[in-house]
Amino acid sequence: MNERKRALITGITGQDGSYLSELLLDKDYEVHGIIRRSSCFNTDRIDHIYKDPHNEEARLFLHYGDLTDGTTLRRILEEVKPIEIYNLGAQSHVRVSFDSPEYTVDAVGMGTLRILEAIRDYQHRTGIEVRFYQAGSSEMFGKVQEVPQKETTPFYPRSPYACAKVYAHWQTVNYRESYDLFACNGILFNHESPRRGETFVTRKITRALARIVKGMQKEVYLGNLDSKRDWGYAKDYVRAMWLMLQQDAPDDYVVATNETHSIREFLDVAFNYVNLDWHDYVKFDERYLRPAEVELLIGDPSKAKQKMGWEPSVTFDQLVKLMVDADIQALEKSKKIAQGFD
Ligand code: NAP
Ligand code: GDD
């Protein structure tokens, strides 16, 4: 009998971690995730796929750990014995990284190095290959040196977060070349979904819009509306992560839609969809500006398409609308529960 494939995911409670877990469970993997201890439950995004480990059918297992704690990462690797590791854990908010640069760099940059070192030793000792995915970011292109950005475009990071991701990127390349690790960098452009964290601009807008529609909120405060992003759908992007680890050889890939839109355009599509004019609701607060901004991101995903057959399946318009719909539905559901109708 074939033994089930085992994967380990850091950042399993995040947007991408939850979609990737679903995808791997669908492919019959046993999935292990690292979660941080928190004073209240922080597993909302994966509760629907979690089964009590005493249940024979359980295939998703959680382990307490932190990217800043190398000893625990090593212990979990030894216990789980995964054949694939997806390093998605991060303090992933760019604005917050200016407030907490040391912690961000520790978790994002050193955290990646800690895992690479653990894999290097484990693989050397056991001879078992562990394939590694590093969650790189289009933020690494920062002040862009080329349009559109591709795998060979030079990096010019503009935040502590982006600097740490560049460090993690080159360490991943370095471990691949020095120790023959099957290590891949995904250079993923912005990807969103109804599970997107509430303080990223897309979700902040769709969540506020839902509350405005329901008469629960009158305005929303935003920062720079002129920056442009290449926005895709998170479910499409986790498929690219998995594909990278299924190739014959490790490599680095840009994952993007090759379309770019400003925050204003996002507001246009979202508010027009519910027949409102965003100018009546959106207010400016300089608190949401960044010390240095990334003005324009647009990725060229042709390598991912040619080598892995990866393509995005959701358009910008569809993405905005599905997020608006989901936030409105979530409010309706919570209202019903509060009224005891559900
Ligand atoms: P997310 O929703 O912010 O999730 C981040 C995950 O990392 C959460 O599970 C979080 O745990 C965990 N985490 C934070 N600090 C940690 C630490 N010190 N040790 C262990 N885990 C920690 O991010 P995402 O959108 O899913 O993104 C996944 C990865 O892709 C991140 O590395 C991000 O930087 C990168 N990325 C994202 C995008 C994008 O557009 N979404 C684009 C390019 C790259 P808690 O739930 O406990 O907070
Ligand atoms: N968060 C936020 N909140 N952003 C705002 C706001 C606001 O109120 N108002 C305007 N913006 C602008 C930001 O200045 C930025 O130019 C743009 O909206 C997008 O901001 P975010 O949604 O916070 O995402 P990000 O592009 O900075 O970073 C995300 O994508 C990266 C990939 O390019 C994160 O997911 C990163 O982890 C990821 O690496």
Side-chain angles (χ1 to χ4, degrees):
M1 205 177 73
N2 280 344
E3 209 180 314
R4 191 166 264 145
K5 288 182 176 179
R6 261 193 310 275
L8 176 63
I9 303 175
T10 72
I12 194 167
T13 55
Q15 171 189 254
D16 292 5
S18 66
Y19 285 121
L20 179 65
S21 300
E22 285 173 4
L23 180 134
L24 295 176
L25 290 171
D26 277 352
K27 293 187 181 299
D28 202 34
Y29 278 68
E30 182 175 301
V31 177
H32 294 254
I34 297 182
I35 63 167
R36 302 192 289 174
R37 194 267 158 182
S38 155
S39 65
C40 48
F41 287 123
N42 59 354
T43 52
D44 282 14
R45 292 187 180 103
I46 50 171
D47 283 346
H48 63 290
I49 47 174
Y50 185 77
K51 288 197 174 81
D52 186 292
H54 303 99
N55 183 330
E56 273 180 11
E57 288 172 13
R59 281 194 289 121
L60 171 62
F61 302 94
L62 301 176
H63 308 258
Y64 283 114
D66 197 298
L67 284 161
T68 59
D69 173 2
T71 322
T72 308
L73 295 173
R74 278 176 182 268
R75 190 161 52 236
I76 294 171
L77 172 59
E78 294 286 341
E79 259 173 49
V80 173
K81 301 184 173 44
I83 58 157
E84 293 172 9
I85 297 185
Y86 297 85
N87 183 31
L88 311 185
Q91 189 303 92
S92 72
H93 202 285
V94 174
R95 177 68 192 81
V96 172
S97 79
F98 287 99
D99 300 329
S100 295
E102 275 187 40
Y103 168 68
T104 302
V105 171
D106 193 5
V108 173
M110 286 300 292
T112 305
L113 180 64
R114 289 181 186 109
I115 299 184
L116 285 165
E117 273 286 272
I119 297 175
R120 170 191 170 196
D121 290 346
Y122 175 83
Q123 197 164 290
H124 180 73
R125 187 171 54 75
T126 62
I128 300 168
E129 182 181 74
V130 182
R131 297 188 170 199
F132 177 73
Y133 172 82
Q134 165 56 17
S137 164
S138 50
E139 277 291 305
M140 300 189 293
F141 296 121
K143 191 170 177 182
V144 297
Q145 304 294 297
E146 188 178 19
V147 177
Q149 295 85 55
K150 46 183 187 278
E151 291 78 6
T152 50
T153 302
F155 297 140
Y156 194 139
R158 301 205 87 197
S159 63
Y161 166 81
C163 291
K165 284 286 184 189
V166 170
Y167 174 84
H169 174 97
W170 285 115
Q171 285 294 16
T172 301
V173 173
N174 186 44
Y175 273 62
R176 179 166 77 214
E177 294 176 356
S178 304
Y179 307 115
D180 208 20
L181 295 196
F182 193 110
C184 300
N185 286 295
I187 306 175
L188 271 54
F189 283 62
N190 297 51
H191 44 279
E192 320 293 313
S193 74
R195 295 187 200 165
R196 182 59 142 153
E198 290 90 343
T199 60
F200 296 97
V201 76
T202 55
R203 185 75 200 291
K204 183 171 170 183
I205 292 169
T206 60
R207 194 165 165 270
L209 177 54
R211 292 172 60 83
I212 288 166
V213 167
K214 295 288 172 195
M216 297 163 74
Q217 188 170 328
K218 287 198 164 57
E219 56 203 13
V220 56
Y221 285 86
L222 298 176
N224 176 19
L225 305 184
D226 295 319
S227 55
K228 293 179 135 191
R229 292 289 181 272
D230 179 331
W231 278 300
Y233 182 39
K235 247 183 166 173
D236 284 336
Y237 286 48
V238 300
R239 191 159 35 83
M241 297 174 187
W242 176 76
L243 280 170
M244 282 178 219
L245 298 198
Q246 313 313 309
Q247 303 304 302
D248 291 339
D251 207 342
D252 306 325
Y253 298 88
V254 159
V255 180
T257 68
N258 199 26
E259 253 189 53
T260 192
H261 297 276
S262 66
I263 316 299
R264 282 175 204 282
E265 290 174 88
F266 193 99
L267 287 164
D268 281 338
V269 177
F271 278 72
N272 286 347
Y273 184 45
V274 294
N275 298 316
L276 294 176
D277 180 348
W278 63 265
H279 297 92
D280 297 334
Y281 302 93
V282 173
K283 302 266 164 21
F284 173 72
D285 186 337
E286 64 179 9
R287 175 172 17 160
Y288 300 114
L289 298 178
R290 288 142 193 218
E293 178 62 281
V294 171
E295 305 292 351
L296 164 72
L297 290 174
I298 175 164
D300 173 359
S302 14
K303 178 175 170 184
K305 184 177 178 189
Q306 277 160 20
K307 297 213 162 177
M308 309 193 297
W310 181 87
E311 276 187 284
S313 73
V314 172
T315 65
F316 174 68
D317 260 46
Q318 288 170 334
L319 174 66
V320 179
K321 290 173 184 168
L322 76 80
M323 289 179 70
V324 173
D325 284 340
D327 272 320
I328 291 177
Q329 278 162 21
L331 270 190
E332 285 169 353
K333 195 172 172 207
S334 64
K335 261 188 162 175
K336 274 190 196 160
I337 292 170
Q339 291 164 352
F341 292 156
D342 214 351

